[in-house]
Amino acid sequence: MRQIILLVCCAALLLTGCAGNPGSGESHGSGEEYGGQTAEQQRGDEQTAPATERPEPISPSSDYVTEEMYQRAVAFQQGDLTRLASVMRRAQAGEDITVGVIGGSITEGYSASNRDKSSYACHMRDWWQERFPDSQVEYVNAGIGGTSSYLGVHRVQEDLLDHEPDFVIVEFSVNDGATNFYKRSYDNLLRRILLEDNMPAVMLLFTTQENGTSAQINDALLGFGYELPMISYGNAVLPAIEAGEFAWRDISPDNIHPNDRGHAIIGELLYRYLNDVYDRLDEIPEETAPFTAEAQTKERYMEGRVLGASDLTPVSAGSFTHTQSGWYFPYDDYWYTETGEESIVFEIEAANIGILYQRDVDDAFGQYDVYIDGEHVRTLNGCFVNGWGNSMEAEELYTSGEKTLHRVEVRRNPESAGDKFTVIAWLVS
């Protein structure tokens, strides 16, 4: 019943935008409670402990976001800000902190003129460095173009969590579909971050395609259930474009990726949100409670990991060779064949198995079948001749409730026109 109520309430918030946010001064939850503290308790605290006078807000280098755009972008429940406030207090005290992002090509900085300076993630990093000059702010960008939260939940440990981030932005809304499959992988990803011992603060960022395609509703429902801060780039820009304030081509060179102006808009939204929270530190309780919320989907990938060629030796390599390359893939070791004359066979111990393989615009790449324990489970198409470019594709192949040893075979489909194929890695949990 609680989940039904949460879904109904969150849907109403998404449709109406009638929710609290850091700039409005409204509280979240029921009545006048905020972070377990009532409004009367807060007023009493204010009488005995005067508020600290804070420096002027940090200003971004651009000025594209109107008040209306910002209010639409943050028109969600306020969420629990105690973790975020805790990071700010530690940075204010001169402690070293780490800020990070995980997502797809937008997070990686695709279409920004300089990914190290002009991307939204760099704008976010700059806010922390400018706001807290006495703190050493480390920055981790775990964005990989063309990837979803399904791959994200398997790579999050090595690519992000091993760096012990204190603040994390999660952005997968244009790469995930609005399906239960991606809802589950996104949910598991959020839970893996939130359950870390150092209790990082998590913010959800919702991007959009030109036509409004986005997994925002799925993602926001999960964020609502976990009381997470959320910002929607789509909510900010799409109504402004419809009103004729600017055109999509002003913020993107294609139908998805922000250009420098688009990244700057996201940066401004983040600057203002973080400024608002920083300005209210005296109102936010200092106690940060461990994450105890129940999972909103099945916890299938909580131990997910990526097994590449450096981690796993095939039982039989067949005509596949262990290859190293400095090309696009962040996983440089993989298995590759030019002929497909003989299959490659692995023994993998897992409850759930997925594959990460190459899709190539070269029509010499073909279709390959995957067999698990002798049963055909999927035909994979490595030929992407009419696609947008060479890419990685992650697909789930097998799920169960028990971790056991499986025989996994990849062989050329008899009707394949192409011969080449690349297995980049296995996704196991």
Side-chain angles (χ1 to χ4, degrees):
M1 177 62 72
R2 178 178 178 273
Q3 288 184 332
I4 294 175
I5 294 172
L6 284 175
L7 293 176
V8 171
C9 292
C10 186
L13 292 174
L14 292 171
L15 290 173
T16 64
C18 297
N21 62 69
S24 68
E26 298 176 17
S27 63
H28 81 287
S30 59
E32 292 187 84
E33 292 182 350
Y34 172 67
Q37 193 176 38
T38 65
E40 289 181 357
Q41 290 171 323
Q42 290 181 49
R43 286 192 290 269
D45 291 344
E46 290 169 1
Q47 292 173 0
T48 57
T52 303
E53 186 174 335
R54 304 212 174 276
E56 289 295 317
I58 297 295
S59 299
S61 57
S62 60
D63 186 20
Y64 297 119
V65 176
T66 65
E67 176 67 18
E68 292 75 14
M69 290 172 64
Y70 178 72
Q71 293 302 328
R72 290 195 301 266
V74 297
F76 302 95
Q77 67 165 10
Q78 177 176 260
D80 183 351
L81 300 177
T82 55
R83 286 194 176 195
L84 181 54
S86 175
V87 181
M88 291 183 182
R89 291 188 184 104
R90 287 189 281 118
Q92 188 178 47
E95 294 184 28
D96 296 346
I97 63 167
T98 299
V99 298
V101 290
I102 186 168
S105 55
I106 294 176
T107 291
E108 186 181 20
Y110 188 85
S111 289
S113 61
N114 187 322
R115 298 185 185 189
D116 295 325
K117 295 181 179 179
S118 306
S119 70
Y120 88 78
C122 291
H123 293 310
M124 177 276 293
R125 172 203 63 196
D126 293 345
W127 183 89
W128 288 93
Q129 292 178 339
E130 294 172 28
R131 178 77 283 171
F132 306 107
D134 294 331
S135 172
Q136 181 66 40
V137 179
E138 299 295 331
Y139 164 67
V140 179
N141 190 322
I144 299 179
T147 66
S148 67
S149 64
Y150 175 62
L151 174 57
V153 71
H154 287 85
R155 66 181 180 85
V156 66
Q157 185 65 51
E158 182 177 356
D159 291 356
L160 180 65
L161 298 181
D162 283 352
H163 299 276
E164 298 185 352
D166 300 288
F167 172 67
V168 175
I169 292 179
V170 181
E171 178 274 318
F172 279 110
S173 50
V174 296
N175 287 14
D176 282 3
T179 66
N180 287 332
F181 170 75
Y182 288 113
K183 185 175 183 179
R184 180 169 55 246
S185 62
Y186 190 84
D187 182 24
N188 282 208
L189 173 62
L190 297 182
R191 293 186 64 78
R192 288 191 68 170
I193 301 171
L194 289 164
L195 287 166
E196 283 292 286
D197 290 340
N198 68 318
M199 296 191 291
V202 176
M203 174 183 288
L204 308 186
L205 172 63
F206 309 136
T207 51
T208 183
Q209 296 187 35
E210 181 179 8
N211 63 4
T213 298
S214 172
Q216 174 173 314
I217 292 180
N218 257 7
D219 297 348
L221 288 171
L222 294 167
F224 184 90
Y226 295 144
E227 297 186 90
L228 298 177
M230 299 180 275
I231 291 181
S232 172
Y233 173 64
N235 284 6
V237 301
L238 293 179
I241 291 172
E242 186 175 356
E245 297 173 22
F246 52 86
W248 179 267
R249 64 179 177 272
D250 295 326
I251 60 172
S252 174
D254 52 37
N255 67 327
I256 296 176
H257 303 96
N259 58 18
D260 282 1
R261 177 172 173 174
H263 278 284
I265 289 174
I266 301 175
E268 286 184 42
L269 296 174
L270 293 170
Y271 262 66
R272 178 159 175 179
Y273 191 98
L274 294 171
N275 279 333
D276 288 341
V277 175
Y278 179 74
D279 192 51
R280 297 172 55 207
L281 282 183
D282 294 328
E283 304 172 19
I284 302 173
E286 294 191 12
E287 183 178 357
T288 302
F291 179 70
T292 59
E294 294 183 1
Q296 300 179 65
T297 64
K298 185 176 180 62
E299 291 188 298
R300 180 172 290 170
Y301 316 115
M302 297 301 289
E303 298 180 358
R305 57 199 176 107
V306 178
L307 297 180
S310 59
D311 308 302
L312 185 65
T313 301
V315 175
S316 172
S319 59
F320 286 74
T321 59
H322 177 182
T323 304
Q324 289 185 320
S325 171
W327 186 59
Y328 174 81
F329 301 128
Y331 307 102
D332 287 339
D333 296 277
Y334 48 89
W335 301 275
Y336 168 73
T337 182
E338 289 191 346
T339 65
E341 292 177 351
E342 298 176 81
S343 62
I344 187 170
V345 180
F346 301 86
E347 286 188 346
I348 299 175
E349 186 175 14
N352 312 290
I353 300 174
I355 189 173
L356 184 66
Y357 66 99
Q358 178 181 352
R359 294 195 302 170
D360 202 289
V361 295
D362 182 356
D363 61 7
F365 278 75
Q367 293 73 49
Y368 275 66
D369 297 324
V370 181
Y371 292 80
I372 296 182
D373 300 327
E375 181 179 348
H376 177 262
V377 295
R378 191 71 52 84
T379 297
L380 307 173
N381 188 4
C383 182
F384 200 42
V385 68
N386 294 318
W388 49 265
N390 297 335
S391 65
M392 296 182 291
E393 183 69 17
E395 290 195 31
E396 188 170 59
L397 303 172
Y398 175 87
T399 63
S400 71
E402 182 181 1
K403 182 181 291 187
T404 56
L405 189 65
H406 298 280
R407 178 182 174 88
V408 182
E409 180 181 2
V410 180
R411 70 171 79 150
R412 183 180 177 276
N413 185 289
E415 298 181 0
S416 175
D419 297 325
K420 296 180 180 181
F421 195 77
T422 300
V423 177
I424 302 171
W426 296 99
L427 311 178
V428 301
S429 59

